[in-house]
Amino acid sequence: MDGMLSKGSLATLATVATVLQFLTGTVICNRYIRKKSTGDTSAFPFISGFLSCFMWLKYGVLTEESTLILVNFIGSALFFSYTVVFFIFSVNKREVVRQMMLILCIILSATIYTSFEVDTEKSVRIIGLLCCCLAVLFFASPLSTLAHVIRTQNTDSLPFPIIVASFFVCILWTGYGVLIGDRFIQVPNLLGGILAGIQLTLYVIYPKQKASSSGPRYSPLVSENPIL
């Protein structure tokens, strides 16, 4: 009973924290709506977020994990909505369509595979590995920024609130993965937590400088997407 209670509590915390992190996209979309333009930003963070959530949703369906199904259903709906908003105000709609078609091909291929694969355990392994690979790619994306921070000894280019949120979300999902004995959930979230922790230590090594009116402004990392 205690084990089930801790699992349920951790699942609730992980779900709430992840959905709140997903909702940060509304702030970005609101900025696009006010400006009526996306400027030179890319839709890929939203589109890749939709792909990640959809694949984890499919993994949740295969493993019958209700927590994964709930949180990634919400995430899929939110990221699809963000992509639509981005498309409406995009200055390069052709690029958005190209990226979306690529993502849809991956989703369609995975859907066809799981529909015709009679070995459920094999389907779980394949989709789980695909989800892990996507997670590793997402977590690797800030590495170039980390090199820039170390080189300039300036953390202004790192989005502190997003990194903190990512750290706690990854820790929660790692714990949940340990409780249900699922390595496909444990490993990528553990890697994500470690990477977020490394970024947080940079704030200790290179304290954030006070902003000056004439100093450069850095855009936040929008690639810090949760994997679940």
Side-chain angles (χ1 to χ4, degrees):
M1 179 62 70
D2 292 339
M4 291 299 295
L5 182 61
S6 66
K7 175 186 174 183
S9 301
L10 191 57
T12 300
L13 285 173
T15 299
V16 172
T18 305
V19 171
L20 288 176
Q21 190 177 26
F22 287 159
L23 288 172
T24 58
T26 59
V27 178
I28 300 174
C29 287
N30 186 50
R31 188 184 309 138
Y32 295 153
I33 294 172
R34 289 201 315 270
K35 293 183 177 180
K36 299 187 183 304
S37 173
T38 60
D40 59 354
T41 58
S42 172
F44 189 71
F46 288 155
I47 295 176
S48 60
F50 172 71
L51 172 63
S52 178
C53 287
F54 187 90
M55 295 310 302
W56 280 109
L57 173 61
K58 182 170 289 294
Y59 181 78
V61 171
L62 289 173
T63 56
E64 300 181 348
E65 274 294 329
S66 58
T67 302
L68 289 181
I69 294 173
L70 174 61
V71 71
N72 287 291
F73 177 80
I74 296 173
S76 296
L78 286 174
F79 278 107
F80 182 78
S81 300
Y82 299 155
T83 302
V84 171
V85 172
F86 189 99
F87 178 79
I88 293 173
F89 296 100
S90 176
V91 296
N92 189 0
K93 289 182 169 57
R94 181 173 296 182
E95 180 64 18
V96 178
V97 172
R98 187 187 68 81
Q99 292 179 1
M100 197 63 191
M101 290 300 295
L102 175 61
I103 296 302
L104 290 177
C105 286
I106 297 175
I107 291 175
L108 182 60
S109 299
T111 302
I112 293 175
Y113 168 73
T114 54
S115 298
F116 288 95
E117 178 58 66
V118 294
D119 189 343
T120 304
E121 291 185 2
K122 184 177 179 181
S123 296
V124 170
R125 289 197 302 271
I126 296 299
I127 299 301
L129 285 172
L130 177 58
C131 290
C132 285
C133 289
L134 290 172
V136 170
L137 289 176
F138 294 152
F139 288 139
S141 60
L143 292 180
S144 60
T145 304
L146 294 184
H148 171 76
V149 170
I150 295 173
R151 185 172 61 253
T152 62
Q153 299 186 3
N154 190 317
T155 57
D156 287 344
S157 57
L158 294 178
F160 183 75
I162 295 178
I163 294 173
V164 172
S166 297
F167 177 77
F168 284 108
V169 167
C170 286
I171 293 301
L172 288 172
W173 281 111
T174 300
Y176 183 76
V178 171
L179 283 179
I180 65 175
D182 192 325
R183 293 183 180 179
F184 290 124
I185 297 177
Q186 297 172 27
V187 174
N189 281 287
L190 179 60
L191 292 175
I194 291 173
L195 180 59
I198 292 174
Q199 294 178 80
L200 290 176
T201 59
L202 292 177
Y203 279 93
V204 178
I205 299 174
Y206 310 119
K208 194 174 182 65
Q209 301 175 358
K210 293 183 178 180
S212 60
S213 58
S214 60
R217 295 180 60 86
Y218 298 92
S219 59
L221 277 178
V222 291
S223 59
E224 282 283 346
N225 293 319
I227 73 169
L228 285 171

